[in-house]
Amino acid sequence: MSHPQAAGEFLKDQAKAKWHDETLWFVRDKRDRISKTIPEWEDLRELASQIKDHVLSKLDSYLEEFERNAQKNGIKIHWAKDAEEHNQIVLSILQEQNCTAIVKSKSILTEECHLNPFLEKNGIEVVDTDLGERIVQFLNQPPSHIVLPAIHLKKGEISELFHEKLQTEKGNEDPAYLTHAARLHLREKFLSAKVAITGVNFGVAETGEFVVCTNEGNADMGVHLAQVHIACMGIEKIIPRRKDLGVFLRLLARSATGQPVTNYNSHFRSPSAGKEIHLILVDNGRTAQLAREKFRNSLKCIRCGACMNTCPIYRRSGGYSYGSTVPGPIGSILSPGLDMKKYSTLPFASTLCGSCSDVCPVKINIHEQLYEWRQEITKTHGELGKNLSMKLASGIFKSPLAYKLSGSLMRSALKTLPKSLIYHPINSWGKGRNLPETPQESFKDWYKKNRK
Amino acid sequence: MSSRESILQAIRSIPRAEKILPDTPDFKSQGELGVLFTKALEANKAEVMDRTQFEEWMEKNQSTRVFSYSEDFQKYSSVILPEDPHELENLQLAILEGQFGVAENGAIWLEDKELPHRAIPFITEHLVIVLNKTNLVDTMHQAYQQIGANHSGFGVFIAGPSKTADIEQSLVIGAHGAKSLRVVMI
Ligand code: SF4
């Protein structure tokens, strides 16, 4: 489905769409307020951006350094060139452990690799433990936002869902009550899981450690109780030195939710005695994006979600309208790199207002890259649409008479065209817009008359 | 070729000019550290108290299953550390010592040596962290200077009780980890 079509679906529930818009704006506003309490905010953004630029310029040697140090610490390192290999590695570790049920904490990478359906097909129960992720997992949906996975749902819907799945009281919509029910339910899962999977926010080359940030503490509940911890990490998550974490941890939560820091920031350097940590380094299109010079710095993204919260299109079209694991402005740059045809409408889902670039803590020039993708897409396979309009145009421009005629034809056509044609679903811009009033006479006629 | 080699090979084959690695300046926060630290913790729904307040609170509090890893408050400890952290499932209160606190955000650093089981601060129902008043730093930059290069298998910044806002963005304290955090400044 194209973005405009999917957005149309989302907009059918006008009240909910309005709420979605306002809630995300509220988060954006919190981010603004807290960023203004740090006088060096802009310096931090610049530093973060430069550190990431530096990492990308030496990614191969940092990955090797990270691997060397992590192995020294007793972490088992695996490499996966794509989603399939990543999933196979996870499965083989689980099989080695004779494990049939796992707990997982928020990891966008495992979503990207479609790990859940893969493991379920192989007879393994997967429980997402972040509350928002558990909610959408119950609904068989992917997250609609990278930081706020269930932001598209109202508490009434969650209440009903929990009534069905967790036998909560019918009609009780109190978020504290519902959260508590999920706590009890998930505790059982934490206590019985032998293997826990987490994502990775940062990998530190200098020490071979990795950092996981959560507010709920679900990553820690999972891994400290399990025998084996599997961490899934995109190769772009490397930073050079431990002290660089100072820059990134100051930016991440402030940009994401407007809080000074996440409540739990866990640094994993070696497993506890008798336990195992496996870390999978995943490419899955990242080296290809690295090779695209114009889009390279999209790999600097630290997944804070700020660009989504600020984007006027995201707020009004919902995460699902993007049809990709990472939605919103940054997703619209990353996804066409994975499949240009499938995601061809995403770079057009932007007003190019630049607000995404303004809030991005690592200073990715998001709106400029969206504009670049538009050009790439039109060049490579916008042929159909373009051909048609170009043919029309070239026919018109070739003959002065045709051009003159076309103007007057167009003026009357705009008046008489049936609404169904203008507001046709193919014409996504027709929605929510009215056509301009056409002038009575053409500019040429006006000029002739008024020239003295 | 192994996936490792093919990934590294793919990266190496991309022409890139080396960009500089900037050094991180020593950004400080503005204000009195103790005040900033307390404000940050309170904003995050944690409670800050002194020794007397804490002892008073312990008197009133009905917790029977308490584990203390703080020398100062050994007397409250009623649970013997089990070998398997799963057995801490019903722990009501854990009293741990923090190494230092960060004024800008209220985060407190603990490492393996402060954690007889890594699971303790998460699995316990309520958490108390004891911190020496003089062990405060300005921002995360000084925090990492303080941590330095020492090796610890696990380290964590804890900045408040477990919380979530996944249901209509309403803040709920007590998701999976500790339902409350009290910081005792001694
Ligand atoms: S692109 Fe920037 S603003 Fe958007 S999620 Fe990534 S880091 Fe955050």
Side-chain angles (χ1 to χ4, degrees):
Chain A
M1 210 192 291
S2 72
H3 179 271
Q5 271 173 304
E9 285 299 308
F10 178 81
L11 287 165
K12 276 187 186 150
D13 188 342
Q14 291 261 335
K16 197 165 159 189
K18 183 165 183 284
W19 178 81
H20 188 267
D21 173 25
E22 287 167 354
T23 308
L24 288 166
W25 185 254
F26 174 76
V27 183
R28 147 81 210 257
D29 198 49
K30 266 173 73 190
R31 171 252 167 227
D32 283 359
R33 268 181 280 135
I34 200 155
S35 68
K36 293 197 173 73
T37 63
I38 310 278
E40 62 272 21
W41 184 255
E42 288 305 316
D43 298 326
L44 288 173
R45 286 180 72 214
E46 186 56 37
L47 281 164
S49 169
Q50 286 183 16
I51 294 168
K52 283 282 185 179
D53 277 333
H54 168 80
V55 170
L56 294 177
S57 76
K58 289 184 56 175
L59 187 59
D60 41 339
S61 59
Y62 277 126
L63 282 166
E64 287 174 300
E65 184 186 347
F66 176 77
E67 177 187 46
R68 213 169 35 244
N69 289 322
Q71 283 171 340
K72 232 189 288 165
N73 299 334
I75 293 178
K76 297 196 166 77
I77 300 287
H78 308 258
W79 298 74
K81 55 181 183 312
D82 54 24
E84 201 190 310
E85 193 176 8
H86 163 267
N87 293 349
Q88 284 297 345
I89 294 169
V90 174
L91 182 64
S92 68
I93 300 170
L94 296 179
Q95 284 169 343
E96 226 168 82
Q97 299 290 328
N98 286 321
C99 173
T100 53
I102 58 154
V103 287
K104 193 160 115 301
S105 80
K106 189 149 59 192
S107 159
I108 304 153
L109 178 57
T110 60
E111 279 296 324
E112 177 189 318
C113 295
H114 304 291
L115 178 68
N116 289 17
F118 171 82
L119 289 181
E120 279 153 15
K121 235 183 15 225
N122 284 281
I124 287 160
E125 186 202 0
V126 183
V127 175
D128 278 315
T129 60
D130 171 271
L131 177 60
E133 294 224 317
R134 187 62 179 148
I135 294 169
V136 293
Q137 190 186 25
F138 274 146
L139 287 167
N140 271 320
Q141 292 176 349
S144 79
H145 185 289
I146 58 173
V147 175
L148 319 162
I151 191 69
H152 58 292
L153 295 169
K154 301 281 288 175
K155 60 187 176 193
E157 297 169 273
I158 297 168
S159 163
E160 235 164 79
L161 179 71
F162 277 20
H163 171 64
E164 181 199 322
K165 302 278 181 184
L166 303 176
Q167 290 77 51
T168 53
E169 216 173 270
K170 193 159 180 61
N172 192 333
E173 297 183 0
D174 176 20
Y177 169 76
L178 297 172
T179 301
H180 188 70
R183 177 186 171 100
L184 293 178
H185 154 72
L186 287 164
R187 239 177 203 235
E188 276 174 36
K189 306 287 181 190
F190 283 126
L191 286 159
S192 60
K194 243 168 109 179
V195 178
I197 299 187
T198 72
V200 168
N201 288 92
F202 306 99
V204 184
E206 175 189 55
T207 52
E209 75 195 309
F210 61 94
V211 176
V212 182
C213 310
T214 69
N215 274 317
E216 298 182 7
N218 54 318
D220 290 276
M221 270 300 276
V223 301
H224 302 313
L225 290 171
Q227 191 59 29
V228 176
H229 174 184
I230 304 175
C232 306
M233 169 175 163
I235 52 171
E236 82 286 13
K237 292 277 162 101
I238 295 272
I239 59 170
R241 305 158 299 196
R242 205 177 217 185
K243 66 175 178 188
D244 297 321
L245 286 168
V247 174
F248 289 101
L249 288 185
R250 294 189 80 192
L251 288 166
L252 179 60
R254 287 184 173 100
S255 300
T257 54
Q259 55 179 343
V261 72
T262 38
N263 278 3
Y264 301 106
N265 302 273
S266 299
H267 299 50
F268 297 92
R269 195 159 175 186
S270 49
S272 318
K275 296 196 176 183
E276 287 175 28
I277 298 180
H278 293 257
L279 186 138
I280 312 173
L281 286 163
V282 185
D283 180 346
N284 205 34
R286 286 161 177 77
T287 50
Q289 189 80 336
L290 188 71
R292 296 183 188 102
E293 211 183 334
K294 284 180 195 156
F295 304 108
R296 176 173 301 159
N297 66 14
S298 60
L299 294 172
K300 287 150 68 173
C301 176
I302 57 172
R303 303 286 192 268
C304 70
C307 56
M308 291 158 208
N309 304 340
T310 199
C311 177
I313 304 286
Y314 179 92
R315 282 187 278 119
R316 290 170 181 82
S317 60
Y320 292 144
S321 63
Y322 295 80
S324 64
T325 307
V326 180
I330 182 65
S332 301
I333 306 174
L334 294 170
S335 306
L338 295 171
D339 185 340
M340 182 142 66
K341 194 157 180 195
K342 183 166 170 207
Y343 298 115
S344 64
T345 57
L346 297 194
F348 297 87
S350 166
T351 61
L352 299 186
C353 63
S355 183
C356 46
S357 308
D358 286 342
V359 296
C360 178
V362 286
K363 283 195 160 180
I364 300 173
N365 56 334
I366 307 172
H367 71 295
E368 286 169 15
Q369 291 192 43
L370 287 169
Y371 183 61
E372 287 287 350
W373 266 127
R374 289 185 185 187
Q375 299 176 55
E376 298 277 323
I377 286 163
T378 333
K379 239 191 297 173
T380 15
H381 65 92
E383 294 308 326
L384 191 86
K386 198 175 69 177
N387 274 352
L388 195 72
S389 54
M390 285 313 267
K391 253 185 220 144
L392 264 170
S394 76
I396 289 164
F397 290 128
K398 251 185 231 156
S399 127
L401 181 64
Y403 177 70
K404 235 192 290 173
L405 272 175
S406 75
S408 60
L409 270 176
M410 209 48 195
R411 279 189 301 282
S412 51
L414 277 179
K415 261 177 270 172
T416 52
L417 264 182
K419 280 251 180 328
S420 65
L421 193 59
I422 300 170
Y423 301 109
H424 191 273
I426 292 176
N427 175 19
S428 53
W429 284 101
K431 275 185 213 136
R433 282 185 175 73
N434 274 315
L435 287 167
E437 290 280 317
T438 48
Q440 294 296 327
E441 52 186 358
S442 74
F443 174 72
K444 204 167 169 192
D445 294 340
W446 177 88
Y447 184 74
K448 252 194 242 157
K449 231 190 292 171
N450 289 282
R451 188 178 54 169
K452 298 230 168 85
Chain B
M1 199 172 7
S2 69
S3 294
R4 176 186 187 279
E5 263 319 296
S6 77
I7 292 169
L8 290 171
Q9 204 53 57
I11 301 171
R12 285 188 203 113
S13 70
I14 300 165
R16 287 153 302 152
E18 188 173 327
K19 307 262 178 74
I20 56 132
L21 174 62
D23 227 349
T24 44
D26 201 26
F27 294 118
K28 295 273 170 59
S29 53
Q30 292 150 348
E32 211 267 303
L33 294 191
V35 177
L36 291 174
F37 182 65
T38 305
K39 229 172 71 183
L41 276 169
E42 284 172 353
N44 219 358
K45 310 289 181 216
E47 221 179 298
V48 181
M49 37 180 64
D50 61 23
R51 183 191 293 270
T52 327
Q53 287 168 319
F54 176 59
E55 281 171 342
E56 277 168 18
W57 179 76
M58 279 305 284
E59 295 284 310
K60 275 185 281 163
N61 159 350
Q62 299 295 311
S63 301
T64 49
R65 292 186 302 278
V66 180
F67 172 78
S68 174
Y69 206 53
S70 160
E71 297 248 339
D72 277 283
F73 300 104
Q74 265 314 315
K75 61 177 177 202
Y76 295 124
S77 209
S78 60
V79 167
I80 296 166
L81 192 72
E83 193 137 310
D84 178 356
H86 287 82
E87 286 169 36
L88 294 167
E89 175 190 356
N90 293 313
L91 186 67
Q92 288 172 313
L93 187 71
I95 307 174
L96 301 172
E97 276 177 17
Q99 277 189 17
F100 65 87
V102 187
E104 71 160 318
N105 55 23
I108 303 168
W109 179 249
L110 297 92
E111 285 180 4
D112 271 341
K113 61 174 184 283
E114 283 90 29
L115 300 166
H117 279 304
R118 292 178 185 177
I120 286 188
F122 311 98
I123 198 170
T124 182
E125 197 173 352
H126 299 281
L127 176 63
V128 172
I129 303 180
V130 182
L131 194 66
N132 194 312
K133 269 197 204 91
T134 55
N135 289 342
L136 292 179
V137 300
D138 264 274
T139 68
M140 294 301 276
H141 307 293
Q142 290 79 31
Y144 281 102
Q145 273 168 33
Q146 183 96 359
I147 294 170
N150 282 353
H151 186 101
S152 171
F154 177 68
V156 59
F157 280 111
I158 298 179
S162 168
K163 66 170 178 182
T164 181
D166 275 342
I167 300 176
E168 277 199 18
Q169 282 293 289
S170 325
L171 179 69
V172 179
I173 301 297
H176 310 294
K179 288 176 178 168
S180 71
L181 171 66
R182 287 178 176 78
V183 179
V184 185
M185 306 290 281
I186 56 168

